[in-house]
Amino acid sequence: GSSLRTTHFKEYCYHTMLQQSRMVGSIALILSLLACCQGFQSLQHRQRGLMHLRVSYSSHIRLSLSSSASSDLLTADDGTISTWTSPSGQIVTLVGTAHLSQKSNEQVTQVIENCQPNIVMVELDATRLSRIGINSMDDIQLNVVTSEDIELPNQPPQPWYWLVLNLLAQIGRKLLTGMYNDMSKDMNNEDGGGGEFLAAIRSAEACPNCHKLVLGDRESVATIRRTFQLALESGNPFAVLGKLSEANEQEMQGLKRKLEEELAAEGKELDSAEFQVAMMERLKSDSEVRNRLFAKLEKEVPEFTQAFLKERDYIMGQAIGRELAQDATVEQLVAVVGLAHVPGIQAHLEGMFSE
């Protein structure tokens, strides 16, 4: 009963930490090297940072899961789907997803079939296509455009240690991809991480009204590089990671207790993979926890929200707005993004078209 479910949760945490061990060690090396470049020479300081890093990286994975939701396939009751209409009547449907949720994959397919959009935008860049089984943009049976030419309004200058940041960010991305693949296997998810984007592309290809696919996100290495840069510029990169962990831990523990209580009341027993999936689905569907968590992150870890959310929200919002402005014949656009991006993208569209 309760003890068995607790054991499953412990196994979930244990296996997740095992999968993260390579990534944690590598990112620890990355930040240590960069900290040396910046003049952070205290051994004691770095040791504290490594402890923060291990906890914080685990928190980032949980955040990735909690930042997206989809319970019922075509309802917006849990905040997974948001619709915005431009002043000229063009409709944008934002579908918030989880990158490891098979339910999200099904939801994306259903939404595109129902909306019959002229354009589909996905939270990808060209370098990430291979991760979902597509070799290049030429293999997509649509007109494909990217957001690589969109710059931030106050584009930050390259720091003098940019080459080091770039090299280590490339390593970080490869290890992060491997970890997501391992998590997918443990959850018996055959579609793998980002399966909703492949579902969106294939559905767009099959949609008779759809003529264009927009790869709307910033290149992933650039996002990782930018996160490291902001953490270093804060003066204490390891403290940033520690704050990320602290902001997330309380909400996670509360969700864990809720799930255990519900399973106990229903008399259900889950194996390790089933418990991981149940945790993720609960994280996705609780909008109250999401809102509370994001508000906390915005206040306590602005470096993280700036690089991972705000800047990317701006770029993806610009990519959507540009398509609407360039082609007045576009009636429907569906954007498939992680749920954490939905509020920011919608707010950016509202501001963009109110000017």
Side-chain angles (χ1 to χ4, degrees):
S2 177
S3 62
L4 181 60
R5 284 185 291 275
T6 301
T7 300
H8 288 155
F9 180 77
K10 289 179 179 178
E11 291 177 356
Y12 159 71
C13 294
Y14 173 72
H15 289 299
T16 301
M17 288 304 298
L18 280 180
Q19 293 157 5
Q20 295 170 5
S21 60
R22 288 183 304 158
M23 184 70 174
V24 169
S26 298
I27 295 182
L29 175 61
I30 289 171
L31 289 179
S32 294
L33 288 172
L34 292 174
C36 287
C37 290
Q38 289 289 82
F40 301 121
Q41 300 295 325
S42 168
L43 177 60
Q44 182 179 10
H45 181 100
R46 287 200 292 269
Q47 287 174 335
R48 288 199 304 269
L50 292 175
M51 293 174 63
H52 285 314
L53 176 63
R54 181 173 295 276
V55 179
S56 298
Y57 188 73
S58 175
S59 297
H60 167 65
I61 297 307
R62 294 197 296 262
L63 174 64
S64 300
L65 300 177
S66 66
S67 68
S68 310
S70 77
S71 52
D72 296 328
L73 291 181
L74 291 175
T75 66
D77 293 343
D78 59 0
T80 63
I81 299 177
S82 180
T83 301
W84 175 82
T85 304
S86 75
S88 61
Q90 296 166 300
I91 299 173
V92 176
T93 302
L94 298 165
V95 186
T97 69
H99 304 322
L100 290 169
S101 170
Q102 290 176 311
K103 287 186 178 180
S104 286
N105 305 352
E106 297 166 5
Q107 183 187 44
V108 165
T109 299
Q110 292 269 357
V111 169
I112 292 175
E113 288 179 354
N114 283 11
C115 291
Q116 290 292 300
N118 309 112
I119 299 175
V120 169
M121 191 279 279
V122 292
E123 182 199 324
L124 285 179
D125 66 271
T127 68
R128 280 181 276 173
L129 288 174
S130 60
R131 289 165 53 181
I132 59 171
I134 298 175
N135 292 326
S136 72
M137 293 191 295
D138 294 335
D139 296 328
I140 298 173
Q141 305 304 309
L142 292 165
N143 178 25
V144 182
V145 298
T146 72
S147 63
E148 62 185 8
D149 61 324
I150 297 175
E151 295 186 351
L152 298 172
N154 296 307
Q155 188 74 20
Q158 289 185 1
W160 63 268
Y161 49 90
W162 185 89
L163 290 177
V164 177
L165 277 175
N166 191 59
L167 174 62
L168 298 177
Q170 299 250 12
I171 296 172
R173 191 191 80 157
K174 289 182 180 180
L175 293 171
L176 181 61
T177 300
M179 191 209 62
Y180 266 108
N181 291 339
D182 289 342
M183 291 180 69
S184 297
K185 291 177 183 177
D186 284 350
M187 295 171 68
N188 297 326
N189 184 344
E190 297 179 356
D191 296 327
E196 76 271 33
F197 302 132
L198 180 60
I201 293 171
R202 296 307 181 216
S203 297
E205 290 175 325
C207 176
N209 289 342
C210 189
H211 63 271
K212 183 181 288 188
L213 175 75
V214 179
L215 303 178
D217 199 8
R218 175 167 63 184
E219 204 264 322
S220 59
V221 169
T223 294
I224 298 172
R225 186 173 62 232
R226 177 71 170 142
T227 306
F228 286 150
Q229 180 184 351
L230 289 173
L232 286 164
E233 289 176 354
S234 73
N236 192 340
F238 297 119
V240 171
L241 295 172
K243 290 177 184 178
L244 179 61
S245 171
E246 293 169 6
N248 193 32
E249 188 63 28
Q250 184 177 359
E251 302 300 339
M252 282 298 301
Q253 289 300 319
L255 282 175
K256 170 184 172 289
R257 287 192 296 270
K258 284 183 181 179
L259 179 59
E260 288 179 333
E261 290 170 0
E262 290 181 7
L263 290 173
E266 296 172 6
K268 289 184 178 180
E269 295 185 358
L270 305 179
D271 63 26
S272 179
E274 291 171 334
F275 193 87
Q276 290 186 54
V277 172
M279 279 288 293
M280 182 185 65
E281 296 299 333
R282 172 47 56 88
L283 286 167
K284 293 190 312 176
S285 62
D286 197 326
S287 59
E288 181 180 342
V289 170
R290 288 199 310 269
N291 293 337
R292 196 163 56 234
L293 177 59
F294 295 151
K296 194 177 297 184
L297 289 172
E298 169 69 19
K299 179 181 178 181
E300 299 180 15
V301 201
E303 299 86 359
F304 176 85
T305 55
Q306 179 70 21
F308 268 85
L309 296 178
K310 291 183 178 181
E311 294 181 354
R312 295 168 67 201
D313 291 349
Y314 174 87
I315 291 170
M316 288 188 281
Q318 283 288 113
I320 293 171
R322 181 169 64 181
E323 296 302 322
L324 300 181
Q326 287 178 349
D327 189 352
T329 66
V330 172
E331 297 179 355
Q332 292 264 2
L333 184 150
V334 170
V336 180
V337 299
L339 186 59
H341 294 290
V342 170
I345 292 174
Q346 181 164 337
H348 180 72
L349 288 171
E350 291 171 354
M352 184 178 180
F353 281 85
S354 67
E355 296 176 354

